[in-house]
Amino acid sequence: MKDSKNYKHVTVLYDGLCPICLRQMAQFKRICKDPNIHWFDITNQEPWLQEHDIKPIDAMLELHLVSEDGKVIKGLDAFICLWSRTPLFRPLAWLLQ
């Protein structure tokens, strides 16, 4: 994903009922202090997910981000986008692009 840094604001979706997801998001929040990242718990948010053409089960199984222009980024591309905003993981994001 070559344009991962071009998004100023991104929304990171996570399952707030999943203990593993909560731990992973807590770790990301600790190391990634980018104020342009919005962390969004998808629990009971089916209408919001439908508006963005995301199936709830897909959002629970794979990392999804939504850019400020509504583009859905998922899977490895979502991790690359998130890692590129995190100093600790930025080299890894660069290697994977």
Side-chain angles (χ1 to χ4, degrees):
M1 166 175 222
K2 297 204 182 296
D3 61 352
S4 65
K5 290 175 130 179
N6 293 337
Y7 297 114
K8 182 171 180 169
H9 299 279
V10 293
T11 300
V12 179
L13 310 184
Y14 68 94
D15 180 359
L17 295 178
C18 167
I20 294 169
C21 303
L22 287 173
R23 277 194 305 274
Q24 187 176 35
M25 289 305 114
Q27 289 173 345
F28 272 123
K29 288 177 185 180
R30 272 195 305 277
I31 61 174
C32 187
K33 303 294 184 186
D34 187 334
N36 295 312
I37 295 177
H38 173 68
W39 308 92
F40 185 69
D41 179 0
I42 61 167
T43 304
N44 298 319
Q45 296 296 326
E46 287 81 5
W48 189 93
L49 292 169
Q50 288 173 354
E51 285 176 30
H52 292 85
D53 211 19
I54 301 169
K55 294 178 183 172
I57 189 70
D58 291 342
M60 287 187 269
L61 295 174
E62 182 176 44
L63 180 65
H64 283 64
L65 308 182
V66 179
S67 68
E68 72 268 14
D69 65 358
K71 180 177 180 184
V72 176
I73 307 158
K74 60 184 180 176
L76 181 59
D77 287 337
F79 277 103
I80 292 170
C81 184
L82 188 56
W83 291 341
S84 70
R85 297 163 178 271
T86 308
L88 181 65
F89 292 113
R90 196 168 290 136
L92 180 60
W94 180 80
L95 282 173
L96 293 172
Q97 287 187 10

